[in-house]
Amino acid sequence: MFKIGCHLSISNGFLKAAKEIISIGGNTYQYFSRNPQGGKAKAWDQKDFEGFMEYAKENNIEGLLCHAPYTLNACSSNPDIREFARMCFRDDIKNLENFPNALYNFHPGSHTGQGVDVGINQIVEILNEIIYPEMKTTIVLELMAGKGSEIGRSFEEIAEIISKVNYKEKLGVCLDTCHVYSAGYDIINNLDEVLDEFDRIIGLDKLKAIHLNDSKMPFASNKDRHEKIGEGTIGLDAIVRIINHPKLKSLPFYLETPNEIEGYKEEIELLKSKRSC
Ligand code: FE
Ligand code: FE
Ligand code: ZN
């Protein structure tokens, strides 16, 4: 099955968003656990959740991807911001544990001048504090474009974080096609080599989700500007190879393109028509 969806708001609940994704031809979606700029998560609504679970079962929605707020920075030089990251992880994971096997995607963080080594150690420290043995949620590190002092701009940095976390089996990776291209991995001309490199350094078994985006920026620019599918520097042909690649095709794909719902619907239709089977 082609698992395809887009980013949706759950401000009106999980069930409403599930109906929305089905209405535009998708079968999974990504949502923010709380306002992307931070703040409090809205209170857990058990009735909505149960309604969602029933609807998801009837409509073959397999799983969702929860995205942490952008303000979660586990390696800020500011201890208050690191404390917010801890709180946010704990709070969001508590909700996610209601799902049978949730995925929680976060940006590893920006070291804000402390240097990569200090940054990685602070991320690891927090992950080791918040992960517990019975946790069912998989925490997914998103590969970043490498703007500013962003950590997670290379397979090596992601692998180093994973290697230092005690419960490695609770971690996964999300490949964002816009980010990875901006970070200097040539997924247009060398997709097989890039995936081989990923496998060698991180392990393809760790890959849990794909953020499917075109890019407004040139190759290896370290800039993070998403573009609509087929309208950017990556282009439709490369994206079609990605959704059909034997090593990727069983993964869930999430659009984070600059679109309203109608645009997402068109992209989902286009991608489904280009999917081999
Ligand atoms: Fe992201
Ligand atoms: Fe992304
Ligand atoms: Zn991005």
Side-chain angles (χ1 to χ4, degrees):
M1 189 178 77
F2 185 23
K3 295 176 209 159
I4 178 78
C6 63
H7 190 92
L8 291 178
S9 163
I10 54 152
S11 54
N12 295 310
F14 286 117
L15 179 57
K16 184 91 193 302
K19 289 180 176 170
E20 200 168 21
I21 197 66
I22 293 295
S23 78
I24 62 169
N27 50 29
T28 181
Y29 65 88
Q30 173 179 265
Y31 65 97
F32 282 123
S33 60
R34 60 189 72 212
N35 184 309
Q37 305 309 334
K40 277 185 68 167
K42 84 179 189 99
W44 182 259
D45 180 345
Q46 184 65 18
K47 202 163 158 254
D48 169 56
F49 173 72
E50 284 167 13
F52 163 78
M53 289 301 282
E54 201 180 309
Y55 182 83
K57 209 173 148 197
E58 285 162 8
N59 291 280
N60 296 314
I61 295 175
E62 269 191 33
L64 303 180
L65 181 60
C66 178
H67 197 304
Y70 295 142
T71 45
L72 187 157
N73 185 2
C75 60
S76 169
S77 57
N78 180 339
D80 293 341
I81 293 176
R82 296 205 302 278
E83 190 48 39
F84 172 78
R86 269 187 199 92
M87 184 280 290
C88 200
F89 269 126
R90 288 208 174 99
D91 224 35
D92 288 348
I93 290 168
K94 190 167 159 255
N95 286 340
L96 287 168
E97 286 293 291
N98 288 296
F99 289 92
N101 34 32
L103 296 176
Y104 184 57
N105 178 95
F106 80 109
H107 296 175
S110 292
H111 65 67
T112 61
Q114 305 185 94
V116 176
D117 292 343
V118 172
I120 286 179
N121 288 335
Q122 288 177 337
I123 295 164
V124 168
E125 188 186 314
I126 290 188
L127 288 173
N128 279 333
E129 282 174 33
I130 55 111
I131 297 174
Y132 54 97
E134 304 79 27
M135 187 180 86
K136 292 176 294 167
T137 300
T138 300
I139 299 181
V140 176
L141 298 123
E142 182 168 356
L143 202 119
M144 302 310 293
K147 64 176 189 292
S149 64
E150 250 170 15
I151 289 184
R153 64 180 67 207
S154 66
F155 298 162
E156 284 80 1
E157 288 185 7
I158 298 278
E160 191 181 339
I161 296 170
I162 295 173
S163 76
K164 290 179 169 170
V165 169
N166 298 328
Y167 298 109
K168 298 169 186 41
E169 68 279 11
K170 314 256 186 219
L171 296 179
V173 178
C174 172
L175 207 71
D176 184 310
T177 53
C178 166
H179 298 178
V180 81
Y181 188 63
S182 282
Y185 293 95
D186 190 353
I187 52 172
I188 299 180
N189 301 301
N190 301 317
L191 180 60
D192 284 320
E193 288 81 352
V194 170
L195 294 177
D196 285 348
E197 194 177 337
F198 187 102
D199 196 32
R200 216 171 43 247
I201 297 168
I202 300 174
L204 274 172
D205 59 317
K206 281 275 175 258
L207 189 53
K208 302 297 177 194
I210 308 277
H211 283 165
L212 201 60
N213 303 305
D214 213 323
S215 173
K216 284 193 201 303
M217 295 293 165
F219 178 65
S221 59
N222 294 123
K223 297 244 165 55
D224 184 1
R225 298 279 310 283
H226 302 186
E227 181 54 286
K228 292 177 183 160
I229 299 300
E231 295 183 20
T233 52
I234 299 175
L236 184 59
D237 289 351
I239 287 169
V240 169
R241 285 194 294 275
I242 289 166
I243 60 169
N244 288 309
H245 196 284
K247 288 179 176 165
L248 304 177
K249 63 185 304 185
S250 65
L251 294 166
F253 296 87
Y254 299 90
L255 297 161
E256 301 176 310
T257 45
N259 272 311
E260 301 296 330
I261 199 77
E262 202 45 44
Y264 279 137
K265 184 177 180 211
E266 283 166 22
E267 288 186 345
I268 290 172
E269 270 165 20
L270 171 66
L271 292 164
K272 280 165 90 174
S273 77
K274 301 284 185 187
R275 171 83 169 194
S276 53
C277 71

